[in-house]
Amino acid sequence: MPVTITDVKTILTQPAGSRLIVVKILTSEPGLYGLGCATFTQRFHAVHAAIEHHLKPFLIGKDADDIEDLWQTAMVNGYWRNGPVLNNAISGMDMALWDIKGKQAGMPVYQLLGGKCREAADTYVHADGASPEEVAEIVRKYMEQDYRHVRCQIGGYGGRKPRVTPPEGAKSGDYFDPRSYMRRTVQMFEHLRASVGDEVELLHDTHERLNPADAVVFAKQLEPYNLFFLEDVLAPEDNAWFRRIRDTSTTPIAMGELFNNPAEWLPLIEGRLIDFLRMHISQMGGITPARNVAAMAAMYGIRTAWHGPGDVSPVGHAANLHLDLWAPNFGIQEWCRFGDLVYEIFPGTPEVRGGYMYPNDRPGLGVDVDEELAARYPYEDEIINWTQARTPDGGPARP
Ligand code: MG
């Protein structure tokens, strides 16, 4: 008797800063359901509509066993494909189907992928301060908690704080000075290595704030500080510049959280132009494509570093973790340190101890949702301000 999909629900909640979107797929087998992450926090209404009006009618009545077939057919069902809205909706479906299959098998999802290569995933956490001294203090606190990897930023993405004097009449926006950001970041790492030593692994996220020529210089300038990786030093639109960075510096490169089409990551892997896959798994369409790209990258000696910020739901973090445990080429896992409320709403959210993220070994992805509690934290609409980035002369920039 095939297990069929009987209903698809979209759960929207905002217990902390980010609006989280979780898809719940119910089946013809009583009590058997799965959860998937479809979180695109800045455009949640669009994902919600894609799930309710397009994906749900497509899925009802279909066989829940056929993850690959449903992924392939859902991806082209609208004919026009790719893009963060539709990929996130498909990810919600994909992870929920893996969750269901794990529950049917009585196994955690990492077992379905091929079993564990490790008992836990090593993580990195974020340190952001107004001065190099403040960042060093945060790094030391994390080291005391046995974290081995810390991402270090000074003044937010693009180092937003320094003096900027735009021309008269310039538009309002989130101003930053790219060249000043470069100088201050290099000074920060110089201070960090002198004060916290060489043993702790340090990372940095450029967040595509530089023009390509400056990005080449920046990767070179950071070489002496031996970063674990430098993230998004270029925007996806500037992918062709990675060759220049590769040819001029040894700084390890992580890239991909904005990618959603395989055409974007394929040349970077084939050319061995990056060191870490930095994809946001719901943005690329879920566990199914993430498994494929991880397996391909393994053959090129490139490691995983799945995106793990607060705008990935606990279900999405669990999907990251199951892939981390399985992947022979696991590199590192970003961790956003959820508060107690998120653990209450999503029982089974992965736990981190001594810097390592552990699975709970329940069947499937291992995370559930308390829908009544989630509903007590409804989403709030807002205009996104931090993405309205501008450079000193008032021109628009990438965020
Ligand atoms: Mg990033």
Side-chain angles (χ1 to χ4, degrees):
M1 203 44 192
V3 173
T4 55
I5 296 170
T6 55
D7 199 6
V8 178
K9 292 169 77 173
T10 312
I11 299 160
L12 266 159
T13 183
Q14 191 173 5
S18 300
R19 288 158 293 262
L20 305 176
I21 310 173
V22 169
V23 170
K24 182 173 188 175
I25 291 185
L26 294 102
T27 71
S28 54
E29 193 173 308
L32 179 63
Y33 61 87
L35 299 176
C37 181
T39 300
F40 178 3
T41 200
Q42 293 91 349
R43 289 293 181 268
F44 61 100
H45 284 305
V47 176
H48 189 189
I51 295 164
E52 289 296 320
H53 299 302
H54 299 297
L55 193 59
K56 178 175 165 173
F58 171 79
L59 287 176
I60 288 186
K62 292 213 163 58
D63 192 333
D65 284 344
D66 302 337
I67 303 175
E68 186 70 43
D69 184 80
L70 287 173
W71 194 92
Q72 297 290 342
T73 53
M75 183 54 81
V76 295
N77 183 247
Y79 179 53
W80 275 283
R81 52 192 175 269
N82 291 309
V85 173
L86 299 178
N87 280 9
N88 266 287
I90 287 171
S91 165
M93 171 201 79
D94 178 79
M95 290 184 194
L97 294 175
W98 280 97
D99 193 26
I100 288 168
K101 198 175 280 300
K103 288 173 177 172
Q104 287 176 305
M107 292 179 184
V109 166
Y110 65 76
Q111 292 290 9
L112 307 182
L113 294 169
K116 277 188 285 193
C117 276
R118 57 193 57 77
E119 296 304 312
D122 211 346
T123 62
Y124 74 85
V125 282
H126 295 181
D128 192 336
S131 68
E133 292 75 16
E134 196 180 319
V135 178
E137 194 50 44
I138 301 169
V139 172
R140 272 191 288 271
K141 277 198 189 119
Y142 282 133
M143 291 169 73
E144 284 164 18
Q145 296 167 41
D146 293 327
Y147 283 102
R148 290 160 290 278
H149 304 75
V150 185
R151 191 193 78 168
C152 300
Q153 310 288 136
I154 187 158
Y157 298 133
R160 272 170 263 161
K161 296 286 185 274
R163 287 185 306 280
V164 168
T165 48
E168 294 165 15
K171 293 181 171 65
S172 65
D174 198 30
Y175 277 81
F176 73 105
D177 181 335
R179 302 274 294 178
S180 168
Y181 153 69
M182 289 168 66
R183 285 189 288 276
R184 295 197 304 138
T185 302
V186 172
Q187 286 162 6
M188 173 188 72
F189 279 110
E190 190 176 8
H191 176 81
L192 287 173
R193 280 303 179 211
S195 63
V196 302
D198 291 327
E199 284 302 312
V200 63
E201 298 287 358
L202 303 178
L203 303 79
H204 182 72
D205 188 354
T206 312
H207 229 265
E208 54 173 356
R209 293 283 178 140
L210 300 177
N211 72 54
D214 283 342
V216 174
V217 174
F218 191 52
K220 183 73 182 166
Q221 287 175 329
L222 291 174
E223 244 179 30
Y225 312 109
N226 197 23
L227 296 193
F228 189 78
F229 68 52
L230 177 61
E231 172 182 351
D232 285 3
V233 69
L234 294 167
E237 294 83 356
D238 296 322
N239 273 353
W241 283 77
F242 275 111
R243 169 64 65 195
R244 186 81 62 88
I245 289 176
R246 209 49 150 182
D247 287 346
T248 52
S249 86
T250 57
T251 297
I253 299 296
M255 182 66 187
E257 77 185 44
L258 286 159
F259 290 175
N260 52 65
N261 183 326
E264 291 171 286
W265 62 74
L266 200 56
L268 300 185
I269 294 173
E270 284 180 333
R272 294 180 173 86
L273 298 175
I274 58 174
D275 302 278
F276 293 89
L277 300 173
R278 186 72 193 117
M279 273 76 112
H280 186 107
I281 288 180
S282 67
Q283 159 94 355
M284 66 197 289
I287 292 170
T288 297
R291 173 202 61 187
N292 293 348
V293 70
M296 182 196 173
M299 300 175 78
Y300 288 83
I302 294 167
R303 290 183 280 171
T304 66
W306 308 120
H307 199 218
D311 57 329
V312 166
S313 75
V315 179
H317 281 272
N320 285 344
L321 176 58
H322 284 267
L323 286 158
D324 295 341
L325 298 174
W326 153 74
N329 54 327
F330 168 71
I332 192 74
Q333 181 57 58
E334 183 181 29
W335 173 232
C336 63
R337 302 186 306 133
F338 282 127
D340 293 344
L341 178 58
V342 170
Y343 281 89
E344 274 181 59
I345 294 175
F346 294 97
T349 296
E351 291 180 15
V352 175
R353 299 186 294 277
Y356 286 112
M357 185 186 289
Y358 289 89
N360 58 35
D361 282 341
R362 288 175 206 151
L365 290 171
V367 180
D368 210 341
V369 60
D370 182 335
E371 290 180 65
E372 279 178 27
L373 189 55
R376 281 163 48 191
Y377 298 90
Y379 63 82
E380 287 173 19
D381 284 311
E382 65 165 330
I383 303 292
I384 312 294
N385 287 317
W386 69 269
T387 53
Q388 299 185 42
R390 291 190 181 276
T391 46
D393 70 354
R398 296 185 187 108

